[in-house]
Amino acid sequence: MNKQILRRIIFVGLFLVPFVPFLVSGSLFFPFITTKAFAWRMIVEIIFASWLILAFLDTQYRPKRSFILYSIFGFLAVIGFADLLGMAPVKSFWSNFERMEGYITLLHLGAFFLVISSVFKEIDWKRWWNTSLVASFLMIIYCLFQLSGNLAINQGGVRVDGTFGNAIYLAVYMLFHIFVALFYMLREWKNSALRWTYGLLIILQATIIYFTATRGTIIGLIGGLLVTALINTRNSESRPVRNASIAAILGTVLVVGSFFVFKDAEFMKESPVLSRFSSLNIEELKTQGRYFVWPMALEGFKERPLLGWGQENFSYVFQKHYNPEMFRLEPWFDRAHNIFLDWMVSGGLLGLIAYLSLYVALIILIWRPKRDSKNEENFTRTEKSVLTGLVAAYFFHNLFVFDHLMSYVLFFSLLGYVHYRRGGESLWQTEIGSVPVRMAVVPVAIIFLAIPFYFANIKPLSTNTTLINALKSIQTPGGALVATEYLEKAYNTSRLGRPEVVEQIAQNSVAILSTDLTAAKKDEFFNFAGQAITAQIAELEGDARYQILAGSFLSSVGLFDEALLMLEEAKKSIPGKQQVYFEIGAVYINQGEYEKAKAVFGEAYNLAPEFSEAKAIYLIGAIYAKDATVENKVLAELTETELVFDDRILSAYYTNGRLDAVRTILNERIRLDPENAGTYENYISELAI
């Protein structure tokens, strides 16, 4: 095997990695996540297989001993056991399209670390980090187009998100690159052109972080720079750096102090970014997901303290400790929005310690002098200060969010760089001839490439694109038959993505079964859908989300008794969630059991009486049950808008022959929405009321 060819393959792959963040394909499900993840995994698999051969051929490309290397191996081992012994091992391994994480991603990160830390020399690292800085500059340009209105902000609103589709993901991407730029700016301080280039880049990157309005990252950036500056106040290596650091500390104190002085000023309240800081108080915190999910995570840790629940299994903790007051938030949380709590839930105490050991290893290797080494292998005090500031900023940022693919890649790149600079001797030095490598190592490397490449990329990609085609076919007149074929193919092709496929099967079954498909095809699809949903529930035993999904599916096809059985199981799994009660009550209404429906809707209402949705549905139950007392009670609690413009309430009155109430509501709509008065008047005429 030609070592130069192998080395060239590895280098091309590694230098493609900084441009992965720009990959977004509209033809994929969850395009901002899956496009990047699949591309990165394929790159890693190719370079890892090439490196495996190269490492056996040449001892200089073998991993070096270091605390970081052992910490990564320990982390992978602990989380592997936690996943294996967790609630849903298959889910923990594969994750899903929405996240594209799981143990398979950790394995790829480990492989990426081994390759980049074993192959790159200092000059290669410099070129690679600078390539990544160029990529960050291109991202800045993209973001400026978003801010100018020439490109859409993908998540809506005013928080710029680049090609990540999420402002938080963009923020941590810029956070890393600010410190990388600072690292090389200080290293190249005597070169005025480079100093100003890096300095301008830092200003632009910080500007983008500001416009992401990500509070945790902004505070992390300030804290990380402050740590860097504090370390450099005693820097005897560079007087300009020491003086700049003292000025930075004074500037930080001035900026933070000014914020507190002017936090109630009008310009602060009108700014989309600054208002997110000035409005932060205890009451606002109580409306955020973290206020609810952090205590959940701690409770989950108490229940499985040693090895946790396994990756991707926060949903079990969420449903067990669900607080009805969370109706204001997104319906399902799969993360604690704190990386340390996430690893505590996923891997227990051992998992958290293993994860924290990565940070500890970084700091130790950055600061501990290396004995009997060349001087350049130790970091200068200036370099130590910047790297420590980066670790501190990233650590603080992670107190409020969870990692994603690119933040993981940048973090493991940092681990790889410090490991390269401070690592010891190679793990093994034995020379191996080219013949044994050709006969034994090459076939193993090909297997290492072929198996994950096919099962972790080709098949899941097929499932992903097939699912998209299915959803498009459902929206196409006459496309129902093709949609059923696509859905069945997507379900059977790959385990990765199967949960999303099952969700789409359940949610679109009524639409498909309502088309002009033949009776035989409808029966065939109905049986397939039922089997797919049942299998998903069996695999993810006790997962309330899929129990509710199954109950809703059974109800939608008229199997009310079976639906009730499934929904009652869901109620046991997540007794605090109003959605379950809504679904059960809807089944009772379809069965004509109006008193039972009202009683169940009343349970949902009592969980959180201020929930407007629960009020409206409780009112509907009272209308069907002809309970005037409850009806009048809830009517008094609904706002005028909530009552008048809810078509479900209007339909309930009409279905139950309450035409006077229908007329009153429509007349109120005419008063409140005069632009559409003609439409409402037509309703009154058509309904003969």
Side-chain angles (χ1 to χ4, degrees):
M1 298 295 291
N2 190 308
K3 288 191 287 186
Q4 287 303 315
I5 293 176
L6 293 170
R7 192 172 182 274
R8 192 172 294 118
I9 291 171
I10 295 168
F11 269 64
V12 169
L14 288 173
F15 275 87
L16 285 175
V17 169
F19 300 99
V20 168
F22 295 94
L23 300 178
V24 182
S25 172
S27 62
L28 293 181
F29 200 61
F30 287 109
F32 294 101
I33 303 296
T34 55
T35 314
K36 297 173 180 60
F38 282 126
W40 179 75
R41 287 181 184 182
M42 287 189 278
I43 290 171
V44 170
E45 288 155 15
I46 292 170
I47 64 175
F48 181 75
S50 302
W51 168 80
L52 197 61
I53 300 170
L54 186 62
F56 276 95
L57 286 172
D58 193 331
T59 58
Q60 69 171 311
Y61 296 111
R62 294 176 187 175
K64 293 190 279 187
R65 305 172 190 273
S66 82
F67 187 13
I68 288 178
L69 179 69
Y70 302 143
S71 296
I72 290 176
F73 283 167
F75 176 61
L76 292 176
V78 170
I79 298 303
F81 277 114
D83 289 346
L84 189 63
L85 301 175
M87 293 295 293
V90 175
K91 182 181 179 184
S92 295
F93 183 82
W94 286 110
S95 184
N96 54 30
F97 287 144
E98 183 178 6
R99 298 298 181 197
M100 290 293 286
E101 291 187 21
Y103 196 64
I104 188 172
T105 292
L106 293 186
L107 291 175
H108 280 76
L109 286 167
F112 172 74
F113 167 84
L114 286 174
V115 176
I116 197 169
S117 64
S118 302
V119 173
F120 275 0
K121 306 303 179 187
E122 182 61 36
I123 185 62
D124 305 315
W125 276 109
K126 182 179 180 180
R127 290 168 179 165
W128 191 85
W129 283 120
N130 278 282
T131 300
S132 196
L133 288 173
V134 170
S136 77
F137 177 69
L138 296 177
M139 186 66 71
I140 288 168
I141 294 174
Y142 186 94
C143 293
L144 292 176
F145 275 106
Q146 286 187 316
L147 290 170
S148 67
N150 292 297
L151 287 173
I153 295 177
N154 302 292
Q155 66 181 26
V158 297
R159 298 179 62 188
V160 64
D161 57 6
T163 57
F164 288 92
N166 187 309
I168 296 174
Y169 295 174
L170 172 63
V172 69
Y173 173 81
M174 289 297 170
L175 178 70
F176 264 96
H177 284 94
I178 283 175
F179 283 91
V180 172
L182 181 61
F183 183 89
Y184 283 103
M185 183 182 78
L186 296 177
R187 179 183 280 186
E188 304 290 346
W189 188 263
K190 294 181 180 179
N191 186 322
S192 60
L194 287 177
R195 184 172 73 242
W196 283 102
T197 299
Y198 287 123
L200 178 60
L201 186 58
I202 290 170
I203 293 171
L204 291 172
Q205 291 163 340
T207 301
I208 297 303
I209 287 184
Y210 174 82
F211 282 107
T212 66
T214 307
R215 290 177 293 204
T217 310
I218 292 173
I219 296 173
L221 172 62
I222 294 171
L225 292 175
L226 193 58
V227 167
T228 298
L230 286 170
I231 294 172
N232 278 313
T233 56
R234 300 179 63 84
N235 190 337
S236 59
E237 299 171 350
S238 172
R239 177 174 291 180
V241 170
R242 185 172 67 248
N243 294 338
S245 296
I246 294 171
I249 293 170
L250 294 175
T252 301
V253 172
L254 180 63
V255 170
V256 174
S258 299
F259 170 80
F260 283 104
V261 171
F262 296 107
K263 75 183 188 71
D264 295 322
E266 198 63 31
F267 75 90
M268 293 282 283
K269 295 178 181 178
E270 292 177 357
S271 168
V273 179
L274 295 177
S275 62
R276 282 176 54 81
F277 288 89
S278 62
S279 65
L280 193 61
N281 54 48
I282 297 299
E283 289 305 312
E284 200 223 349
L285 286 174
K286 290 181 179 179
T287 66
Q288 294 187 352
R290 294 172 185 86
Y291 179 82
F292 296 98
V293 298
W294 286 4
M296 289 181 186
L298 292 173
E299 291 300 318
F301 165 68
K302 291 176 186 177
E303 292 163 13
R304 297 175 71 104
L306 192 61
L307 281 171
W309 300 70
Q311 287 177 273
E312 305 296 341
N313 288 324
F314 184 79
S315 57
Y316 288 101
V317 176
F318 174 81
Q319 67 187 40
K320 187 172 184 179
H321 301 284
Y322 181 83
N323 188 325
E325 297 295 327
M326 294 182 72
F327 66 82
R328 300 179 181 89
L329 307 170
E330 59 187 271
W332 300 97
F333 278 79
D334 63 351
R335 297 290 189 278
H337 290 260
N338 175 310
I339 195 64
F340 308 105
L341 290 177
D342 277 323
W343 285 117
M344 186 185 292
V345 171
S346 297
L349 181 61
L350 294 180
L352 178 62
I353 292 172
Y355 177 69
L356 290 174
S357 73
L358 302 178
Y359 291 85
V360 173
L362 261 177
I363 296 299
I364 289 176
L365 264 66
I366 289 170
W367 283 94
R368 186 179 66 190
K370 185 176 179 183
R371 290 173 291 182
D372 302 324
S373 68
K374 294 181 181 179
N375 205 31
E376 61 268 18
E377 291 180 353
N378 288 314
F379 292 107
T380 65
R381 187 177 182 86
T382 303
E383 291 175 335
K384 291 175 182 177
S385 70
V386 176
L387 294 176
T388 304
L390 172 53
V391 174
Y394 180 59
F395 186 95
F396 191 87
H397 160 87
N398 273 339
L399 288 172
F400 301 95
V401 294
F402 49 86
D403 269 311
H404 64 100
L405 175 62
M406 293 317 302
S407 65
Y408 273 130
V409 170
L410 289 169
F411 182 47
F412 273 72
S413 299
L414 176 63
L415 289 167
Y417 178 57
V418 175
H419 166 79
Y420 157 75
R421 287 283 296 267
R422 305 305 316 284
E425 298 297 324
S426 297
L427 286 177
W428 84 101
Q429 296 283 348
T430 306
E431 296 280 353
I432 300 175
S434 60
V435 174
V437 170
R438 189 181 304 112
M439 297 297 293
V441 178
V442 171
V444 171
I446 292 173
I447 293 172
F448 262 91
L449 172 61
I451 292 179
F453 202 87
Y454 181 69
F455 288 101
N457 297 299
I458 302 302
K459 288 173 74 66
L461 267 171
S462 176
T463 288
N464 193 294
T465 55
T466 304
L467 178 58
I468 285 289
N469 289 332
L471 297 178
K472 290 179 180 178
S473 299
I474 291 170
Q475 304 300 321
T476 304
L481 179 59
V482 176
T484 62
E485 294 171 351
Y486 277 137
L487 287 171
E488 189 165 354
K489 179 183 176 183
Y491 177 83
N492 289 317
T493 299
S494 168
R495 177 56 189 80
L496 173 55
R498 185 169 292 173
E500 284 99 340
V501 175
V502 171
E503 286 189 34
Q504 296 304 322
I505 289 171
Q507 292 170 4
N508 290 284
S509 289
V510 172
I512 291 173
L513 295 173
S514 300
T515 62
D516 57 356
L517 283 176
T518 64
K521 285 294 181 183
K522 287 182 179 180
D523 287 342
E524 183 181 329
F525 176 72
F526 173 76
N527 291 332
F528 159 69
Q531 291 169 5
I533 295 168
T534 301
Q536 189 68 26
I537 291 173
E539 182 177 292
L540 303 179
E541 185 178 357
D543 191 317
R545 182 169 183 174
Y546 290 96
Q547 290 172 334
I548 295 173
L549 189 74
S552 179
F553 164 75
L554 293 168
S555 175
S556 68
V557 296
L559 298 176
F560 299 126
D561 291 336
E562 292 87 342
L564 283 175
L565 290 174
M566 185 57 64
L567 291 169
E568 287 295 339
E569 287 298 312
K571 185 179 174 184
K572 294 176 185 176
S573 299
I574 187 165
K577 193 165 185 64
Q578 293 92 339
Q579 181 189 352
V580 186
Y581 298 84
F582 298 159
E583 295 282 354
I584 293 173
V587 174
Y588 281 135
I589 285 180
N590 286 326
Q591 289 182 318
E593 299 277 359
Y594 302 135
E595 282 294 333
K596 289 183 178 180
K598 183 196 71 173
V600 174
F601 291 153
E603 289 183 65
Y605 167 84
N606 289 328
L607 289 171
E610 64 274 23
F611 186 13
S612 58
E613 180 77 358
K615 293 177 190 176
I617 290 178
Y618 192 21
L619 172 60
I620 291 169
I623 294 170
Y624 274 94
K626 298 180 171 53
D627 188 328
T629 302
V630 171
E631 180 182 347
N632 291 330
K633 175 184 183 306
V634 180
L635 281 171
E637 297 177 5
L638 286 169
T639 67
E640 186 176 49
T641 301
E642 288 171 344
L643 170 64
V644 171
F645 291 99
D646 193 321
D647 288 335
R648 298 168 303 176
I649 296 174
L650 188 72
S651 176
Y653 276 126
Y654 181 77
T655 302
N656 285 276
R658 300 278 296 277
L659 300 185
D660 55 334
V662 175
R663 185 185 302 108
T664 299
I665 290 175
L666 288 174
N667 283 327
E668 286 299 302
R669 288 190 182 185
I670 292 171
R671 180 177 67 83
L672 296 171
D673 185 20
E675 291 185 4
N676 293 303
T679 300
Y680 304 135
E681 288 169 353
N682 288 336
Y683 288 163
I684 294 173
S685 300
E686 292 172 5
L687 298 174
I689 57 174

PDB file of all heavy atoms in Angstrom, residues 228-235 241-242 245-246 249 381:
ATOM      1  N   THR A 228      -9.119  34.342  30.347  1.00  0.00           N
ATOM      2  CA  THR A 228      -7.890  34.538  29.562  1.00  0.00           C
ATOM      3  C   THR A 228      -7.150  35.791  30.015  1.00  0.00           C
ATOM      4  O   THR A 228      -5.924  35.782  30.211  1.00  0.00           O
ATOM      5  CB  THR A 228      -8.230  34.642  28.064  1.00  0.00           C
ATOM      6  OG1 THR A 228      -8.825  33.414  27.624  1.00  0.00           O
ATOM      7  CG2 THR A 228      -6.986  34.911  27.234  1.00  0.00           C
ATOM      8  N   ALA A 229      -7.889  36.881  30.198  1.00  0.00           N
ATOM      9  CA  ALA A 229      -7.270  38.142  30.593  1.00  0.00           C
ATOM     10  C   ALA A 229      -6.675  38.061  31.999  1.00  0.00           C
ATOM     11  O   ALA A 229      -5.563  38.551  32.239  1.00  0.00           O
ATOM     12  CB  ALA A 229      -8.304  39.267  30.520  1.00  0.00           C
ATOM     13  N   LEU A 230      -7.394  37.428  32.911  1.00  0.00           N
ATOM     14  CA  LEU A 230      -6.898  37.318  34.281  1.00  0.00           C
ATOM     15  C   LEU A 230      -5.589  36.533  34.336  1.00  0.00           C
ATOM     16  O   LEU A 230      -4.664  36.889  35.072  1.00  0.00           O
ATOM     17  CB  LEU A 230      -7.962  36.645  35.167  1.00  0.00           C
ATOM     18  CG  LEU A 230      -9.167  37.516  35.536  1.00  0.00           C
ATOM     19  CD1 LEU A 230     -10.252  36.670  36.194  1.00  0.00           C
ATOM     20  CD2 LEU A 230      -8.746  38.657  36.457  1.00  0.00           C
ATOM     21  N   ILE A 231      -5.517  35.471  33.556  1.00  0.00           N
ATOM     22  CA  ILE A 231      -4.279  34.676  33.520  1.00  0.00           C
ATOM     23  C   ILE A 231      -3.124  35.509  32.992  1.00  0.00           C
ATOM     24  O   ILE A 231      -1.986  35.423  33.483  1.00  0.00           O
ATOM     25  CB  ILE A 231      -4.479  33.407  32.664  1.00  0.00           C
ATOM     26  CG1 ILE A 231      -5.488  32.461  33.335  1.00  0.00           C
ATOM     27  CG2 ILE A 231      -3.149  32.689  32.437  1.00  0.00           C
ATOM     28  CD1 ILE A 231      -5.891  31.279  32.467  1.00  0.00           C
ATOM     29  N   ASN A 232      -3.433  36.368  32.024  1.00  0.00           N
ATOM     30  CA  ASN A 232      -2.368  37.143  31.375  1.00  0.00           C
ATOM     31  C   ASN A 232      -1.947  38.392  32.142  1.00  0.00           C
ATOM     32  O   ASN A 232      -1.011  39.080  31.728  1.00  0.00           O
ATOM     33  CB  ASN A 232      -2.800  37.540  29.960  1.00  0.00           C
ATOM     34  CG  ASN A 232      -2.581  36.406  28.970  1.00  0.00           C
ATOM     35  OD1 ASN A 232      -1.512  35.793  28.958  1.00  0.00           O
ATOM     36  ND2 ASN A 232      -3.586  36.123  28.170  1.00  0.00           N
ATOM     37  N   THR A 233      -2.626  38.698  33.244  1.00  0.00           N
ATOM     38  CA  THR A 233      -2.181  39.848  34.039  1.00  0.00           C
ATOM     39  C   THR A 233      -0.815  39.595  34.668  1.00  0.00           C
ATOM     40  O   THR A 233      -0.132  40.539  35.077  1.00  0.00           O
ATOM     41  CB  THR A 233      -3.201  40.168  35.155  1.00  0.00           C
ATOM     42  OG1 THR A 233      -3.405  39.008  35.964  1.00  0.00           O
ATOM     43  CG2 THR A 233      -4.515  40.642  34.563  1.00  0.00           C
ATOM     44  N   ARG A 234      -0.429  38.330  34.743  1.00  0.00           N
ATOM     45  CA  ARG A 234       0.889  37.975  35.281  1.00  0.00           C
ATOM     46  C   ARG A 234       1.775  37.354  34.183  1.00  0.00           C
ATOM     47  O   ARG A 234       2.641  36.522  34.458  1.00  0.00           O
ATOM     48  CB  ARG A 234       0.742  37.008  36.454  1.00  0.00           C
ATOM     49  CG  ARG A 234      -0.071  37.602  37.610  1.00  0.00           C
ATOM     50  CD  ARG A 234      -0.233  36.616  38.745  1.00  0.00           C
ATOM     51  NE  ARG A 234       1.043  36.253  39.345  1.00  0.00           N
ATOM     52  CZ  ARG A 234       1.658  36.965  40.289  1.00  0.00           C
ATOM     53  NH1 ARG A 234       1.107  38.079  40.737  1.00  0.00           N
ATOM     54  NH2 ARG A 234       2.812  36.566  40.798  1.00  0.00           N
ATOM     55  N   ASN A 235       1.489  37.753  32.948  1.00  0.00           N
ATOM     56  CA  ASN A 235       2.227  37.225  31.805  1.00  0.00           C
ATOM     57  C   ASN A 235       3.537  37.993  31.629  1.00  0.00           C
ATOM     58  O   ASN A 235       3.550  39.175  31.263  1.00  0.00           O
ATOM     59  CB  ASN A 235       1.375  37.342  30.538  1.00  0.00           C
ATOM     60  CG  ASN A 235       1.976  36.595  29.367  1.00  0.00           C
ATOM     61  OD1 ASN A 235       3.175  36.340  29.319  1.00  0.00           O
ATOM     62  ND2 ASN A 235       1.134  36.243  28.415  1.00  0.00           N
ATOM     63  N   VAL A 241       0.522  41.870  25.539  1.00  0.00           N
ATOM     64  CA  VAL A 241      -0.587  40.984  25.914  1.00  0.00           C
ATOM     65  C   VAL A 241      -1.026  41.282  27.340  1.00  0.00           C
ATOM     66  O   VAL A 241      -2.233  41.323  27.641  1.00  0.00           O
ATOM     67  CB  VAL A 241      -0.168  39.501  25.772  1.00  0.00           C
ATOM     68  CG1 VAL A 241      -1.221  38.590  26.384  1.00  0.00           C
ATOM     69  CG2 VAL A 241       0.035  39.149  24.309  1.00  0.00           C
ATOM     70  N   ARG A 242      -0.053  41.511  28.225  1.00  0.00           N
ATOM     71  CA  ARG A 242      -0.394  41.808  29.617  1.00  0.00           C
ATOM     72  C   ARG A 242      -1.188  43.118  29.714  1.00  0.00           C
ATOM     73  O   ARG A 242      -2.215  43.185  30.400  1.00  0.00           O
ATOM     74  CB  ARG A 242       0.872  41.892  30.453  1.00  0.00           C
ATOM     75  CG  ARG A 242       0.587  42.089  31.944  1.00  0.00           C
ATOM     76  CD  ARG A 242       1.831  41.992  32.792  1.00  0.00           C
ATOM     77  NE  ARG A 242       2.755  43.092  32.550  1.00  0.00           N
ATOM     78  CZ  ARG A 242       3.944  42.974  31.974  1.00  0.00           C
ATOM     79  NH1 ARG A 242       4.367  41.789  31.553  1.00  0.00           N
ATOM     80  NH2 ARG A 242       4.731  44.027  31.801  1.00  0.00           N
ATOM     81  N   SER A 245      -4.670  42.712  28.335  1.00  0.00           N
ATOM     82  CA  SER A 245      -5.510  41.924  29.240  1.00  0.00           C
ATOM     83  C   SER A 245      -6.058  42.792  30.366  1.00  0.00           C
ATOM     84  O   SER A 245      -7.235  42.681  30.735  1.00  0.00           O
ATOM     85  CB  SER A 245      -4.702  40.757  29.821  1.00  0.00           C
ATOM     86  OG  SER A 245      -4.303  39.871  28.797  1.00  0.00           O
ATOM     87  N   ILE A 246      -5.210  43.666  30.921  1.00  0.00           N
ATOM     88  CA  ILE A 246      -5.669  44.569  31.980  1.00  0.00           C
ATOM     89  C   ILE A 246      -6.752  45.502  31.437  1.00  0.00           C
ATOM     90  O   ILE A 246      -7.787  45.733  32.085  1.00  0.00           O
ATOM     91  CB  ILE A 246      -4.484  45.376  32.544  1.00  0.00           C
ATOM     92  CG1 ILE A 246      -3.508  44.432  33.258  1.00  0.00           C
ATOM     93  CG2 ILE A 246      -4.974  46.460  33.511  1.00  0.00           C
ATOM     94  CD1 ILE A 246      -2.198  45.087  33.662  1.00  0.00           C
ATOM     95  N   ILE A 249     -10.026  43.567  31.084  1.00  0.00           N
ATOM     96  CA  ILE A 249     -10.722  43.373  32.367  1.00  0.00           C
ATOM     97  C   ILE A 249     -11.484  44.639  32.747  1.00  0.00           C
ATOM     98  O   ILE A 249     -12.665  44.590  33.133  1.00  0.00           O
ATOM     99  CB  ILE A 249      -9.714  42.991  33.470  1.00  0.00           C
ATOM    100  CG1 ILE A 249      -9.121  41.612  33.178  1.00  0.00           C
ATOM    101  CG2 ILE A 249     -10.391  42.993  34.842  1.00  0.00           C
ATOM    102  CD1 ILE A 249      -7.952  41.249  34.077  1.00  0.00           C
ATOM    103  N   ARG A 381       2.669  30.708  28.074  1.00  0.00           N
ATOM    104  CA  ARG A 381       1.635  31.163  29.004  1.00  0.00           C
ATOM    105  C   ARG A 381       0.474  31.817  28.250  1.00  0.00           C
ATOM    106  O   ARG A 381      -0.693  31.659  28.614  1.00  0.00           O
ATOM    107  CB  ARG A 381       2.214  32.145  30.027  1.00  0.00           C
ATOM    108  CG  ARG A 381       1.197  32.517  31.114  1.00  0.00           C
ATOM    109  CD  ARG A 381       1.790  33.423  32.167  1.00  0.00           C
ATOM    110  NE  ARG A 381       0.820  33.712  33.210  1.00  0.00           N
ATOM    111  CZ  ARG A 381       0.609  32.947  34.274  1.00  0.00           C
ATOM    112  NH1 ARG A 381       1.322  31.844  34.436  1.00  0.00           N
ATOM    113  NH2 ARG A 381      -0.287  33.281  35.189  1.00  0.00           N
TER     114      ARG A 381
END
